[in-house]
Amino acid sequence: MNAPEPHVLIVDDNREIRDVLSRYLRTNGYRATTAESAAAARRILKTNAIDLAVLDVMMPGEDGLNLTRSIRAESALPIIM
């Protein structure tokens, strides 16, 4: 039996970046979910088992650093910025 695909969350306000990263990850055997903001990422994190988050540092509203702090307060989810 095969292990499930690792699930990566991509958080970036730039749609082109989200699309390119998710397409690359899916082509290479990963499950990819995208979010356009920190608020959207939080909703996804509450309802999905995520193995890795790729965060944009500079987003309008809440930036990637603040999102990282809040994720760290609740979990040890690996994060790439």
Side-chain angles (χ1 to χ4, degrees):
M1 184 176 217
N2 292 337
E5 300 169 318
H7 193 175
V8 179
L9 173 61
I10 303 161
V11 185
D12 198 302
D13 59 309
N14 185 312
R15 183 182 191 143
E16 289 180 28
I17 292 172
R18 290 192 316 265
D19 290 349
V20 167
L21 283 174
S22 65
R23 190 171 37 250
Y24 177 82
L25 289 168
R26 289 179 181 132
T27 299
N28 288 283
Y30 294 84
R31 183 173 169 209
T33 299
T34 63
E36 69 282 353
S37 67
R42 279 193 177 80
R43 287 190 297 273
I44 292 166
L45 288 166
K46 285 182 182 179
T47 60
N48 292 274
I50 302 295
D51 298 302
L52 171 72
V54 179
L55 308 181
D56 180 11
V57 174
M58 296 173 43
M59 294 185 288
E62 184 178 6
D63 64 23
L65 294 173
N66 284 331
L67 179 56
T68 297
R69 284 185 201 98
S70 69
I71 291 170
R72 277 291 160 264
E74 299 177 10
S75 80
L77 174 70
I79 297 171
I80 297 174
M81 300 187 85

